[in-house]
Amino acid sequence: MELIDQLRHFSLLDAIAVIYLVGAWGILGYIIENPPRKRISTSVLVADYRREWMVHMITRKPRIFDATVLSTLREGTSFLASACLIAIGGGLAAISNAERLSGVARDLALDAPQIIWEVKILLALFFVTNAFLKFIWSNRLFGYCGVVMASVSNDETDPQALPRAKKAGDLNITAARAFNAGIRGIYFALGALSWLVGPVGLLIGGTLVIFVMLRREFASTSRAILLRDEP
């Protein structure tokens, strides 16, 4: 009963703001990975280049370049997974010492029960944890991609060369999807932290995250470059 009484400190606007943020996270992810044909996202545009990369890899000798690029991609997932793990540890430490956070909040005229701060931090940790799992899975998929790449023959007349190269391309794209989902998780975790200043702050923070993500996927300079006509 005491827990329920404490949770009553959350207002209807708090609930609306949380639903808005979580809903935007899910819907935005779907739109980016399944964009309308007339407005392709940057992530989907790059996927085509990933497929072409694997096809060109068949005749490339040696494949040091391909191995280096794949290694760089895996290192990126490892780094961000480690960063998420550190953030999760920091968040859990903040929850375990929420009394200190409450003291800081009182100094800022943001007084609220300890459970309120814990729940707000947990929302950010939800997104960070999801990002961590996505980065781990992306790292593993890039590993699978490397194994399939190694099985592709340099002989373009080999009947298995092109099918296996296409498999490697599909695995690479799937790994990239998981990586992109992890990046979105980090963005939304930052947006979730704006809840610390109240539900209006969460609505504003969530809206800023949505704007940034939409711009980078559908109106960025990099997207314009990818769409530029080639000779």
Side-chain angles (χ1 to χ4, degrees):
M1 287 297 294
E2 183 180 352
L3 177 61
I4 295 175
D5 290 337
Q6 289 181 327
L7 290 177
R8 286 174 181 169
H9 286 86
F10 288 109
S11 65
L12 177 60
L13 187 58
D14 282 301
I16 292 173
V18 171
I19 293 171
Y20 171 70
L21 187 74
V22 176
W25 169 64
I27 294 172
L28 190 62
Y30 180 82
I31 293 174
I32 289 173
E33 297 300 340
N34 303 275
R37 292 183 179 180
K38 294 183 179 179
R39 197 71 183 177
I40 303 297
S41 65
T42 303
S43 298
V44 173
L45 286 171
V46 174
D48 292 333
Y49 286 89
R50 293 178 187 274
R51 291 190 182 94
E52 289 189 29
W53 167 23
M54 294 302 155
V55 172
H56 289 301
M57 177 200 65
I58 297 174
T59 56
R60 186 178 288 123
K61 299 178 184 178
R63 294 177 178 171
I64 296 174
F65 173 78
D66 304 291
T68 302
V69 174
L70 189 66
S71 176
T72 301
L73 292 173
R74 292 199 74 186
E75 287 174 3
T77 61
S78 298
F79 171 78
L80 290 172
S82 299
C84 286
L85 201 57
I86 293 172
I88 291 170
L92 292 175
I95 289 175
S96 66
N97 196 17
E99 291 182 3
R100 192 169 186 178
L101 184 60
S102 297
V104 174
R106 282 192 294 271
D107 294 337
L108 298 174
L110 297 172
D111 193 19
Q114 181 176 324
I115 186 66
I116 301 298
W117 301 110
E118 292 175 352
V119 172
K120 290 181 176 182
I121 294 173
L122 280 173
L123 178 64
L125 285 180
F126 164 76
F127 289 112
V128 176
T129 302
N130 178 267
F132 169 73
L133 295 174
K134 292 294 184 181
F135 289 134
I136 290 294
W137 182 233
S138 177
N139 185 281
R140 189 170 185 179
L141 287 173
F142 278 128
Y144 292 160
C145 177
V147 172
V148 177
M149 287 170 64
S151 73
V152 178
S153 172
N154 275 129
D155 183 5
E156 57 185 327
T157 62
D158 186 335
Q160 289 188 329
L162 184 58
R164 288 189 177 182
K166 289 182 177 180
K167 286 181 181 179
D170 289 339
L171 283 170
N172 198 293
I173 291 169
T174 305
R177 283 200 191 104
F179 182 83
N180 292 335
I183 292 292
R184 287 194 297 273
I186 292 177
Y187 274 96
F188 276 92
L190 293 174
L193 289 175
S194 62
W195 195 16
L196 294 173
V197 298
V200 175
L202 181 57
L203 288 170
I204 294 173
T207 302
L208 286 175
V209 169
I210 294 168
F211 173 77
V212 170
M213 293 299 299
L214 286 175
R215 183 189 175 282
R216 293 189 175 181
E217 286 291 341
F218 297 100
S220 63
T221 302
S222 57
R223 180 181 182 276
I225 292 172
L226 291 170
L227 286 172
R228 187 184 300 165
D229 293 335
E230 298 181 3

